[in-house]
Protein backbone atom coordinates (compact mmCIF):
# COMPACT_ATOMS: atom_id res chain seq x y z
CA UNK A 1 0.00 0.00 0.00
CA UNK A 2 1.31 3.45 -0.86
CA UNK A 3 2.14 5.41 2.26
CA UNK A 4 -0.13 8.28 1.21
CA UNK A 5 -3.05 6.11 0.08
CA UNK A 6 -5.50 7.39 2.69
CA UNK A 7 -4.55 11.02 1.90
CA UNK A 8 -4.83 10.85 -1.88
CA UNK A 9 -8.59 11.37 -2.01
CA UNK A 10 -8.52 14.42 0.21
CA UNK A 11 -7.55 16.23 -3.00
CA UNK A 12 -10.65 17.32 -4.98
CA UNK A 13 -8.73 16.95 -8.25
CA UNK A 14 -7.99 13.28 -7.48
CA UNK A 15 -11.65 12.74 -6.62
CA UNK A 16 -12.80 14.31 -9.89
CA UNK A 17 -10.44 12.05 -11.84
CA UNK A 18 -11.63 8.99 -9.92
CA UNK A 19 -15.32 9.73 -10.40
CA UNK A 20 -15.36 11.27 -13.86
CA UNK A 21 -12.51 9.49 -15.66
CA UNK A 22 -11.95 6.13 -13.98
CA UNK A 23 -15.71 5.51 -13.93
CA UNK A 24 -16.54 7.24 -17.21
CA UNK A 25 -19.07 5.30 -19.35
CA UNK A 26 -17.45 2.43 -21.20
CA UNK A 27 -14.31 2.22 -19.07
CA UNK A 28 -13.18 -1.02 -17.49
CA UNK A 29 -14.16 0.20 -14.02
CA UNK A 30 -17.63 1.27 -15.15
CA UNK A 31 -18.30 -2.05 -16.91
CA UNK A 32 -17.31 -4.02 -13.80
CA UNK A 33 -19.36 -1.64 -11.65
CA UNK A 34 -22.36 -2.26 -13.88
CA UNK A 35 -22.04 -6.01 -13.38
CA UNK A 36 -21.79 -5.50 -9.64
CA UNK A 37 -24.92 -3.34 -9.64
CA UNK A 38 -26.89 -5.95 -11.58
CA UNK A 39 -25.81 -8.70 -9.22
CA UNK A 40 -26.50 -6.66 -6.07
CA UNK A 41 -29.97 -5.73 -7.25
CA UNK A 42 -30.78 -9.41 -7.59
CA UNK A 43 -28.93 -10.61 -4.52
CA UNK A 44 -30.17 -8.19 -1.84
CA UNK A 45 -33.94 -8.73 -2.23
CA UNK A 46 -33.38 -12.50 -2.11
CA UNK A 47 -31.00 -12.38 0.86
CA UNK A 48 -33.11 -10.14 3.11
CA UNK A 49 -36.77 -10.61 4.04
CA UNK A 50 -37.10 -6.84 4.51
CA UNK A 51 -34.95 -4.02 3.14
CA UNK A 52 -31.77 -3.86 5.25
CA UNK A 53 -29.98 -0.90 6.75
CA UNK A 54 -26.93 -0.42 4.56
CA UNK A 55 -23.56 0.56 6.08
CA UNK A 56 -20.86 1.32 3.51
CA UNK A 57 -17.34 1.41 4.96
CA UNK A 58 -14.93 3.72 3.08
CA UNK A 59 -17.88 4.67 0.89
CA UNK A 60 -16.05 7.17 -1.31
CA UNK A 61 -18.55 8.82 -3.65
CA UNK A 62 -21.32 6.42 -2.57
CA UNK A 63 -21.21 4.17 -5.62
CA UNK A 64 -22.53 1.14 -3.72
CA UNK A 65 -25.36 3.15 -2.14
CA UNK A 66 -26.42 4.25 -5.63
CA UNK A 67 -26.37 0.63 -6.77
CA UNK A 68 -28.73 -0.23 -3.92
CA UNK A 69 -31.08 2.74 -4.38
CA UNK A 70 -34.59 1.62 -3.47
CA UNK A 71 -33.44 -1.71 -2.02
CA UNK A 72 -32.16 -0.53 1.37
CA UNK A 73 -34.28 0.96 4.13
CA UNK A 74 -31.54 3.58 4.42
CA UNK A 75 -27.89 3.83 3.44
CA UNK A 76 -25.13 5.20 5.65
CA UNK A 77 -21.77 5.93 4.06
CA UNK A 78 -18.63 6.49 6.15
CA UNK A 79 -15.46 8.05 4.74
CA UNK A 80 -12.50 10.17 5.82
CA UNK A 81 -12.59 12.34 2.67
CA UNK A 82 -14.88 15.35 2.59
CA UNK A 83 -14.06 15.71 -1.12
CA UNK A 84 -15.34 12.19 -1.81
CA UNK A 85 -18.53 12.75 0.17
CA UNK A 86 -19.11 16.09 -1.56
CA UNK A 87 -18.79 14.41 -4.96
CA UNK A 88 -21.22 11.74 -3.80
CA UNK A 89 -23.79 14.41 -2.99
CA UNK A 90 -23.29 15.90 -6.47
CA UNK A 91 -23.96 12.46 -7.97
CA UNK A 92 -27.21 12.08 -6.04
CA UNK A 93 -26.10 9.38 -3.61
CA UNK A 94 -29.05 8.40 -1.39
CA UNK A 95 -28.93 8.16 2.39
CA UNK A 96 -26.58 9.75 4.90
CA UNK A 97 -22.89 10.54 4.43
CA UNK A 98 -20.73 10.54 7.56
CA UNK A 99 -17.34 12.25 7.58
CA UNK A 100 -15.22 10.31 10.08
CA UNK A 101 -11.69 10.40 11.39
CA UNK A 102 -9.46 7.40 10.56
CA UNK A 103 -10.36 4.45 12.76
CA UNK A 104 -13.39 6.15 14.29
CA UNK A 105 -16.24 5.05 11.99
CA UNK A 106 -19.11 3.59 14.04
CA UNK A 107 -22.23 2.25 12.29
CA UNK A 108 -25.61 3.58 13.39
CA UNK A 109 -27.29 0.30 14.28
CA UNK A 110 -31.05 -0.23 13.93
CA UNK A 111 -32.01 -3.21 16.15
CA UNK A 112 -35.32 -3.63 14.30
CA UNK A 113 -33.82 -4.29 10.85
CA UNK A 114 -31.12 -6.53 9.40
CA UNK A 115 -27.89 -4.89 8.32
CA UNK A 116 -25.89 -5.07 5.12
CA UNK A 117 -22.27 -3.99 5.50
CA UNK A 118 -20.26 -3.34 2.34
CA UNK A 119 -16.60 -2.51 1.74
CA UNK A 120 -15.76 -2.11 -1.94
CA UNK A 121 -12.31 -1.22 -3.31
CA UNK A 122 -10.81 -1.13 0.16
CA UNK A 123 -9.10 -4.29 1.38
CA UNK A 124 -6.70 -4.67 -1.54
CA UNK A 125 -4.77 -1.48 -0.85
CA UNK A 126 -5.31 -1.33 2.91
CA UNK A 127 -2.71 -2.45 5.41
CA UNK A 128 -3.57 -5.16 7.99
CA UNK A 129 -4.45 -2.60 10.66
CA UNK A 130 -6.99 -0.90 8.39
CA UNK A 131 -8.47 -4.26 7.42
CA UNK A 132 -8.96 -5.04 11.09
CA UNK A 133 -10.69 -1.67 11.50
CA UNK A 134 -13.11 -2.66 8.75
CA UNK A 135 -13.88 -5.94 10.47
CA UNK A 136 -14.40 -4.25 13.84
CA UNK A 137 -16.79 -1.82 12.14
CA UNK A 138 -18.68 -4.69 10.53
CA UNK A 139 -18.90 -6.59 13.80
CA UNK A 140 -20.57 -3.63 15.50
CA UNK A 141 -23.29 -3.67 12.86
CA UNK A 142 -23.40 -7.50 12.74
CA UNK A 143 -23.23 -8.76 16.33
CA UNK A 144 -24.47 -12.26 15.48
CA UNK A 145 -25.34 -14.57 12.59
CA UNK A 146 -28.92 -13.32 12.38
CA UNK A 147 -27.95 -9.65 12.16
CA UNK A 148 -27.23 -9.56 8.42
CA UNK A 149 -24.43 -9.92 5.90
CA UNK A 150 -21.00 -8.54 5.04
CA UNK A 151 -19.92 -8.03 1.42
CA UNK A 152 -16.23 -7.30 0.80
CA UNK A 153 -14.76 -6.64 -2.64
CA UNK A 154 -11.27 -7.75 -3.61
CA UNK A 155 -10.32 -6.15 -6.93
CA UNK A 156 -6.91 -7.86 -7.06
CA UNK A 157 -7.51 -11.58 -6.56
CA UNK A 158 -4.19 -13.44 -6.49
CA UNK A 159 -5.78 -16.50 -8.14
CA UNK A 160 -6.48 -14.70 -11.41
CA UNK A 161 -5.02 -13.36 -14.63
CA UNK A 162 -3.88 -10.39 -12.59
CA UNK A 163 -1.29 -12.67 -10.98
CA UNK A 164 0.08 -13.59 -14.41
CA UNK A 165 0.39 -9.89 -15.21
CA UNK A 166 2.33 -9.39 -12.01
CA UNK A 167 4.56 -12.36 -12.78
CA UNK A 168 5.26 -11.68 -16.45
CA UNK A 169 4.13 -8.13 -17.11
CA UNK A 170 5.15 -4.59 -16.32
CA UNK A 171 3.75 -3.23 -13.08
CA UNK A 172 2.22 0.21 -12.81
CA UNK A 173 3.27 1.17 -9.30
CA UNK A 174 1.30 4.42 -9.48
CA UNK A 175 -1.84 2.26 -9.28
CA UNK A 176 -0.63 0.59 -6.03
CA UNK A 177 -0.51 -2.80 -7.73
CA UNK A 178 -1.24 -5.32 -5.01
CA UNK A 179 -2.71 -8.79 -4.72
CA UNK A 180 -4.93 -10.31 -2.06
CA UNK A 181 -5.58 -14.04 -1.97
CA UNK A 182 -8.60 -16.12 -1.03
CA UNK A 183 -6.54 -17.55 1.82
CA UNK A 184 -5.79 -14.08 3.19
CA UNK A 185 -9.47 -13.18 3.03
CA UNK A 186 -10.49 -16.40 4.77
CA UNK A 187 -7.93 -15.71 7.49
CA UNK A 188 -9.21 -12.15 7.96
CA UNK A 189 -12.81 -13.34 8.21
CA UNK A 190 -11.96 -16.25 10.49
CA UNK A 191 -9.95 -14.12 12.92
CA UNK A 192 -12.94 -11.85 13.36
CA UNK A 193 -15.51 -14.62 13.76
CA UNK A 194 -17.05 -14.69 10.28
CA UNK A 195 -18.18 -17.57 8.09
CA UNK A 196 -17.54 -17.30 4.35
CA UNK A 197 -20.78 -18.09 2.51
CA UNK A 198 -19.67 -17.58 -1.07
CA UNK A 199 -17.68 -15.66 -3.67
CA UNK A 200 -19.06 -13.78 -6.67
CA UNK A 201 -16.81 -12.84 -9.57
CA UNK A 202 -17.27 -9.90 -11.95
CA UNK A 203 -14.33 -9.99 -14.37
CA UNK A 204 -11.79 -12.62 -15.30
CA UNK A 205 -9.71 -10.11 -17.23
CA UNK A 206 -7.61 -7.10 -16.29
CA UNK A 207 -8.02 -3.53 -17.46
CA UNK A 208 -5.54 -4.00 -20.30
CA UNK A 209 -7.72 -6.71 -21.86
CA UNK A 210 -10.55 -4.19 -22.18
CA UNK A 211 -8.58 -2.12 -24.69
CA UNK A 212 -8.83 -2.62 -28.42
CA UNK A 213 -8.60 -4.97 -30.23
CA UNK A 214 -9.47 -7.36 -27.38
CA UNK A 215 -12.18 -5.39 -25.60
CA UNK A 216 -15.21 -6.92 -27.33
CA UNK A 217 -14.06 -10.49 -26.77
CA UNK A 218 -13.03 -9.79 -23.16
CA UNK A 219 -16.41 -8.26 -22.32
CA UNK A 220 -18.32 -11.11 -23.94
CA UNK A 221 -16.29 -13.78 -22.15
CA UNK A 222 -16.64 -11.98 -18.84
CA UNK A 223 -20.40 -11.66 -19.27
CA UNK A 224 -20.59 -15.42 -19.79
CA UNK A 225 -17.88 -16.80 -17.51
CA UNK A 226 -16.96 -14.39 -14.69
CA UNK A 227 -19.77 -15.65 -12.46
CA UNK A 228 -19.35 -19.43 -12.94
CA UNK A 229 -15.56 -19.06 -12.67
CA UNK A 230 -15.73 -16.71 -9.69
CA UNK A 231 -12.80 -18.29 -7.85
CA UNK A 232 -10.48 -17.25 -10.68
CA UNK A 233 -11.99 -13.81 -11.27
CA UNK A 234 -9.79 -10.74 -11.00
CA UNK A 235 -12.54 -8.83 -9.19
CA UNK A 236 -14.54 -10.78 -6.58
CA UNK A 237 -16.95 -10.03 -3.76
CA UNK A 238 -16.94 -12.22 -0.64
CA UNK A 239 -20.24 -12.89 1.14
CA UNK A 240 -19.92 -13.55 4.87
CA UNK A 241 -21.84 -13.59 8.14
CA UNK A 242 -20.98 -13.85 11.80
CA UNK A 243 -20.55 -17.36 13.15
Amino acid sequence: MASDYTEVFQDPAAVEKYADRIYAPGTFASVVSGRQAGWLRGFVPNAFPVPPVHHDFACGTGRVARMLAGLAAVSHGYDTSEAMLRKGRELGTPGHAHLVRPGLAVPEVDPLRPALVTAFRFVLNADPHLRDQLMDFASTALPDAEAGLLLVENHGNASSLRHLRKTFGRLDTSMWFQEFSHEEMRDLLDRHGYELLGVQGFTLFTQGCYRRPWSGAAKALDDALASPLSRWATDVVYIARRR
Side-chain angles (χ1 to χ4, degrees), residues 11-12 23 27 33 85 96 122 188 223 232 237:
D11 179 0
Y23 281 94
T27 62
S33 184
L85 297 180
H96 306 283
F122 177 78
L188 179 65
D223 286 340
W232 294 277
V237 166

Side-chain angles (χ1 to χ4, degrees), residues 28-89:
F28 174 74
S30 70
V31 172
V32 173
S33 184
R35 289 198 191 101
Q36 291 173 341
W39 176 76
L40 280 170
R41 297 194 67 80
F43 173 81
V44 170
N46 287 324
F48 293 91
V50 297
V53 175
H54 173 220
H55 300 285
D56 194 15
F57 186 86
C59 64
T61 66
R63 185 171 55 92
V64 180
R66 294 194 298 276
M67 292 179 188
L68 293 173
L71 299 180
V74 63
S75 284
H76 293 276
Y78 309 79
D79 205 279
T80 60
S81 169
E82 171 60 32
M84 277 287 205
L85 297 180
R86 187 185 311 116
K87 185 63 178 180
R89 290 190 290 269

Side-chain angles (χ1 to χ4, degrees), residues 7-225:
E7 285 76 42
V8 167
F9 292 117
Q10 303 294 337
D11 179 0
V15 172
E16 290 296 325
K17 176 181 177 181
Y18 179 80
D20 298 337
R21 292 174 56 186
I22 302 299
Y23 281 94
T27 62
F28 174 74
S30 70
V31 172
V32 173
S33 184
R35 289 198 191 101
Q36 291 173 341
W39 176 76
L40 280 170
R41 297 194 67 80
F43 173 81
V44 170
N46 287 324
F48 293 91
V50 297
V53 175
H54 173 220
H55 300 285
D56 194 15
F57 186 86
C59 64
T61 66
R63 185 171 55 92
V64 180
R66 294 194 298 276
M67 292 179 188
L68 293 173
L71 299 180
V74 63
S75 284
H76 293 276
Y78 309 79
D79 205 279
T80 60
S81 169
E82 171 60 32
M84 277 287 205
L85 297 180
R86 187 185 311 116
K87 185 63 178 180
R89 290 190 290 269
E90 292 176 10
L91 294 172
T93 301
H96 306 283
H98 304 272
L99 180 64
V100 297
R101 293 174 61 189
L104 297 181
V106 179
E108 298 188 358
V109 178
D110 182 348
L112 301 180
R113 282 189 178 271
L116 171 64
V117 179
T118 58
F120 279 39
R121 295 186 74 88
F122 177 78
V123 297
L124 179 65
N125 293 313
D127 63 29
H129 177 64
L130 293 174
R131 290 170 185 158
D132 286 337
Q133 287 182 4
L134 158 64
M135 300 306 298
D136 291 340
F137 172 92
S139 296
T140 300
L142 303 170
D144 55 52
E146 303 303 316
L149 295 173
L150 169 64
L151 303 181
V152 182
E153 180 189 20
N154 171 15
H155 61 293
N157 175 23
S159 302
S160 70
L161 289 178
R162 185 181 167 113
H163 182 75
L164 295 180
R165 180 186 167 199
K166 183 177 182 179
T167 303
F168 299 108
R170 184 178 62 187
L171 302 187
D172 183 358
T173 55
S174 68
M175 296 298 288
W176 304 296
F177 194 102
Q178 303 283 348
E179 289 185 320
F180 196 61
S181 70
H182 295 309
E183 291 71 23
E184 289 173 301
M185 178 60 75
R186 287 194 189 95
D187 177 68
L188 179 65
L189 293 170
D190 186 65
R191 285 192 293 105
H192 289 270
Y194 283 80
E195 172 189 8
L196 179 62
L197 301 180
V199 177
Q200 176 63 41
F202 297 99
T203 175
L204 294 168
F205 296 101
T206 61
Q207 182 171 336
C209 298
Y210 271 58
R211 301 190 183 104
R212 293 181 179 180
W214 315 110
S215 58
K219 290 177 184 176
L221 287 171
D222 270 344
D223 286 340
L225 299 176

